Amino acid sequence: MRYRGRALCAAVLAVCLFAWPNGHPAYGQAADAPRGRVTVRTESTAERRAWTSRVDSMLRDGELRLRESREDPLVPGRTQERADQYYRGVRVFGADVSRQLRNGATESIFGTIYEAITVETDPAIDEDRARELLGARLGVTIDASTPVELVVLPLDAGGYALAWRIRVVTRGDTRQYFINARTGASLLDYSDRKTQTAVGRATGVLGDLKKISVRTSGGQYQTRDDLRPPDIETYDMKGDPARTDRVLIGLVNLSSNDLGTDADNDWTDGAIGDAHIYAGYTYDYYFKRFGRRGLNNADLRMQNLVHPVRRADIDIYGDLYPDFFVNAFYNGNGVMVFGEGLPPNFTLDGQTIDYFAGAIDIVAHELTHGVTEYTSNLIYRNESGALNEAFSDIMGIAVEFFFQPPGNGPLKADYLMGEDVIRPGGTRSAENPGVFGDPDHFSKRFLGSADNGGVHINSTIASHAYYLAIEGGTNRTSGLSVQGVGQANREQMEKVFYRAFTQLMPANSTFSVARAATIQASRDLYGSNSAAERAVTQAWTAVGVN
Amino acid sequence: MQPRLHALMLAATTLTMTAPAMAQTGSVARRPDSVLISVSGGAQQSANDISDHFSFPKNQETQTVDVNYPMKPTGLFDIGASFRVWKGLAFGAAFSRASGSGDVDVTTSVPHPFFFNQPRIVTGTDTGIQHAENGVHLQVQYIVPASNSVRVIVGAGPSWISVEQEAVTDVTVTESYPFDTAAFGGAVTKSTKASAMGYNASVDVTWMFARSVGVGGLVRYTRADVDLEPAAGRTLSMKAGGVQAGGGIRFVF
């Protein structure tokens, strides 16, 4: 998110350096119960060499599949890898290894793998039948949207079974069930509820009342959402910019003590509440609209940092930490920072700046940078950078329309960005970019080097095309008219742009590539010569992208 | 009706006792009679279905639960005695037990965990809900000598009815992300008891086919308003009793 008119507001797209917990204890290398289970540790050089060779071999053969790889935030030059074991393409439940690399060489390996697996991997019953069987067993109906996973389950008594894993939430518990995928028999179930979830009420930045999903711990409520599949956590940085900075560069780890807290579950800190709630809404939107599971489509943890400074400290820290006041940004790996805004008696270019977390489109915008990071990874400069920003604006607008009624004013869906907290007017307009001096046509694009080659400025060329493709109308520069798909069909354009920007476009895309990709997406989804294809084609032509 | 009740009724109708006849006519010599014992089996049709509504806080809103207990005919066992005190005037006392099980229909509105005013409506049926009523009925009776072998006894008086009802106290629903739908998981029930005074009126027709033994039919209407308390501070009001009809053996002394 950029606040216009200030170079200090350039958005940050950095690599997150947060530490991820590495909870493997130092097991001895031995086969132990159940039979076939091998716990891995590398204490000696010989062990390290042997297991390095073994793990590399398994990775090559597809027996291990890399789940994640990230830089170690605490030790420079170190990389942490996690890989899951697979047997004939099916994940082995509870089998994974964690490898630490130092400058590319193995430093340590810990994990659990299973040997001598012999199990048929073709399920005799499908996942729908598995839901039915479990539902009948529990005396309930398990919704078709409840995810199931086919796994190889190591049995406590020895041996293996092909199983459907189903996680069911009931009023009293959350349980993992394993249904034999060959026979339908129950194999295992256990409680998977780790904490006590709670639903509270929160008053937002704009005074609106919403529900908030939190947890209870130690007699108080904390902003950690355990109801949604990913961990969504909102941290209160308590106005300490130096500590916030150290967190962002990986020198300090956040703990549960840093989570936002409330004594009675009636949250009145609007910034904390809105950041937490709107992050959840954004996850909901991606899941319901596209079936996407979070930023990396694998329920990556989402962390919101709010109150990075105090507004009253604007004179002290305004120049040193400008982004903490008048910006919101995605810091990589699921970490968002939401600026504090300005004191009430301050204005910037005639606008007041409230807590950035109070605008749903801003929150969705930042989280969409995360989606981009894990998909097209559009390079954050020049045209690809402008497309990166445009996609965040487009999805920010889409999320706003998904949760708020259309209209003008606070808490209404429109094509302005950030208008709920940057008042009056917001910071960009997809409907009429010229209101803010941004280009609505390719011929007016910014060609300088500022703003990473105009990543924010030129983003409106694409977001305006998105607007025209839905609403229709005439481009003010070209005078060309567009027959939009209409508000009732906005979902079509959301899916077209989502498909193009997350699945079809390469990292170094240009506007021209975006045009071709969205047209292709519209054909894929709605057919050649469909209204969607005509709308998106006309829209790009109208904004001068051919 | 459960098989156990059928067996009970059958036993009741075949039970025999020896006692002097209250009135003997026709081929059976008339003799002074003062006591009639009746043992009957039959059925009770309760007056009304029971409807319950309760609510509790859930997800920062209110979850409502509506329960309908359809009152189907239940098995009836009845034993009574009449004591003639002067001419056709008698006093009677009877004990009745009606019991059975049935289904309950449950509808609950479950607030969404993420959004206000977006409840999920969940309906379901729970089976095997137990219901039983024990009644003690006192009557002032008038013995109508319809013929030498037939007696008609009409009576009315107070009743004390004790109700034992398995009541729904909570509802289990299953749900999973994104929580836009929920499914009925079952009803949490609790057995609760209460009693109340009411009234009754009845007609008993007896045909004496032997000196001290006959058969008879009974129709009784009894009613009491009972307030059950399935949970602290929550009242489930019901109209206990109903129409009781049955037949069985009669003995006179």
Side-chain angles (χ1 to χ4, degrees), chain A residues 4 50 95 171 178 203 206 227 244-245 255 258 379 471 502 541:
Chain A
R4 295 182 52 78
R171 184 171 177 183
F178 294 84
T203 303
L206 300 179
L227 288 177
T244 304
D245 214 26
S255 74
D258 296 307
I379 298 168
E471 303 287 345
T502 62
T541 302

Side-chain angles (χ1 to χ4, degrees), chain B residues 112-128:
Chain B
H112 198 290
F114 298 153
F115 308 106
F116 282 107
N117 304 316
Q118 294 186 24
R120 287 82 46 83
I121 306 299
V122 176
T123 59
T125 299
D126 206 7
T127 59

Side-chain angles (χ1 to χ4, degrees), chain A residues 96-109:
Chain A
D96 66 348
V97 295
S98 163
R99 176 160 68 171
Q100 181 183 200
L101 300 172
R102 180 166 65 175
N103 299 322
T106 298
E107 182 69 17
S108 64
I109 301 176

Side-chain angles (χ1 to χ4, degrees), chain A residues 301-522:
Chain A
R301 178 173 57 177
M302 296 156 67
Q303 296 179 308
N304 309 303
L305 274 56
V306 297
H307 298 318
V309 288
R310 293 189 184 89
R311 285 180 175 178
D313 293 337
I314 182 72
D315 292 331
I316 304 171
Y317 296 123
D319 291 334
L320 192 59
Y321 299 107
D323 285 346
F324 291 170
F325 287 96
V326 289
N327 206 352
F329 58 89
Y330 176 69
N331 199 57
N333 282 352
V335 179
M336 276 68 61
V337 181
F338 296 101
E340 192 74 353
L342 296 174
N345 56 333
F346 275 59
T347 59
L348 202 55
D349 293 344
Q351 292 176 302
T352 61
I353 314 292
D354 213 332
Y355 300 99
F356 276 71
I360 189 173
D361 52 0
I362 290 179
V363 176
H365 172 108
E366 302 309 336
L367 287 163
T368 298
H369 280 309
V371 174
T372 300
E373 178 187 14
Y374 287 98
T375 53
S376 60
N377 203 15
L378 289 160
I379 298 168
Y380 202 64
R381 60 191 296 270
N382 300 329
E383 286 193 30
S384 57
L387 291 167
N388 190 320
E389 277 296 324
F391 185 53
S392 281
D393 276 1
I394 288 167
M395 289 293 108
I397 291 166
V399 171
E400 190 170 285
F401 272 98
F402 195 82
F403 288 101
Q404 296 178 350
N408 298 314
L411 303 171
K412 295 289 173 54
D414 54 29
Y415 290 91
L416 294 169
M417 285 303 300
E419 76 285 357
D420 281 354
V421 296
I422 303 170
R423 300 184 291 263
T427 185
R428 276 189 297 278
S429 170
E431 179 179 359
N432 185 6
V435 169
F436 295 96
D438 294 323
D440 67 353
H441 194 271
F442 191 66
S443 64
K444 292 182 174 178
R445 68 190 184 281
F446 175 73
L447 296 174
S449 59
D451 186 28
N452 276 12
V455 296
H456 293 91
I457 299 169
N458 292 334
S459 69
T460 51
I461 297 169
S463 61
H464 184 52
Y466 171 75
Y467 164 81
L468 290 171
I470 294 174
E471 303 287 345
T474 303
N475 179 266
R476 292 171 179 79
T477 299
S478 68
L480 295 174
S481 294
V482 178
Q483 179 77 44
V485 294
Q487 294 181 3
N489 298 313
R490 66 171 59 255
E491 180 179 346
Q492 291 184 0
M493 279 306 116
E494 292 172 16
K495 288 182 173 176
V496 164
F497 276 75
Y498 172 81
R499 178 176 174 81
F501 276 72
T502 62
Q503 296 178 37
L504 304 182
M505 288 165 53
N508 207 8
S509 291
T510 61
F511 282 107
S512 179
V513 170
R515 172 196 164 101
T518 49
I519 292 172
Q520 179 63 47
S522 66

Side-chain angles (χ1 to χ4, degrees), chain A residues 140-365:
Chain A
V140 302
T141 301
I142 297 178
D143 194 87
S145 65
T146 301
V148 299
E149 182 193 14
L150 187 67
V151 297
V152 172
L153 179 68
L155 303 173
D156 291 342
Y160 304 90
L162 188 68
W164 290 108
R165 182 180 68 85
I166 310 176
R167 187 171 186 264
V168 176
V169 181
T170 65
R171 184 171 177 183
D173 200 1
T174 301
R175 298 189 74 80
Q176 292 272 13
Y177 293 91
F178 294 84
I179 307 297
N180 192 313
R182 302 289 300 172
T183 67
S186 290
L187 292 169
L188 173 70
D189 68 272
Y190 60 86
S191 176
D192 200 30
R193 180 161 289 183
K194 300 151 185 112
T195 57
Q196 185 76 32
T197 61
V199 175
R201 47 194 282 148
T203 303
V205 170
L206 300 179
D208 53 316
L209 189 64
K210 298 185 287 291
K211 292 186 182 183
I212 184 169
S213 174
V214 296
R215 73 171 181 180
T216 58
S217 180
Q220 61 182 0
Y221 299 90
Q222 295 182 320
T223 41
R224 176 181 159 127
D225 183 347
D226 288 327
L227 288 177
R228 291 180 171 88
D231 291 337
I232 301 177
E233 299 160 340
T234 300
Y235 292 95
D236 183 357
M237 301 313 296
K238 299 181 175 62
D240 187 341
R243 184 162 188 271
T244 304
D245 214 26
R246 289 197 297 274
V247 168
L248 293 178
I249 61 178
L251 297 177
V252 173
N253 287 328
L254 292 166
S255 74
S256 60
N257 293 330
D258 296 307
L259 291 167
T261 60
D262 191 85
D264 60 2
N265 212 15
D266 190 356
W267 298 74
T268 55
D269 188 317
I272 288 177
D274 278 348
H276 196 64
I277 293 165
Y278 288 153
Y281 283 10
T282 303
Y283 180 92
D284 295 342
Y285 169 79
Y286 273 100
F287 180 82
K288 292 180 180 179
R289 190 65 103 203
F290 311 119
R292 184 178 185 84
R293 293 188 166 275
L295 307 187
N296 65 346
N297 205 20
D299 292 330
L300 176 71
R301 178 173 57 177
M302 296 156 67
Q303 296 179 308
N304 309 303
L305 274 56
V306 297
H307 298 318
V309 288
R310 293 189 184 89
R311 285 180 175 178
D313 293 337
I314 182 72
D315 292 331
I316 304 171
Y317 296 123
D319 291 334
L320 192 59
Y321 299 107
D323 285 346
F324 291 170
F325 287 96
V326 289
N327 206 352
F329 58 89
Y330 176 69
N331 199 57
N333 282 352
V335 179
M336 276 68 61
V337 181
F338 296 101
E340 192 74 353
L342 296 174
N345 56 333
F346 275 59
T347 59
L348 202 55
D349 293 344
Q351 292 176 302
T352 61
I353 314 292
D354 213 332
Y355 300 99
F356 276 71
I360 189 173
D361 52 0
I362 290 179
V363 176
H365 172 108

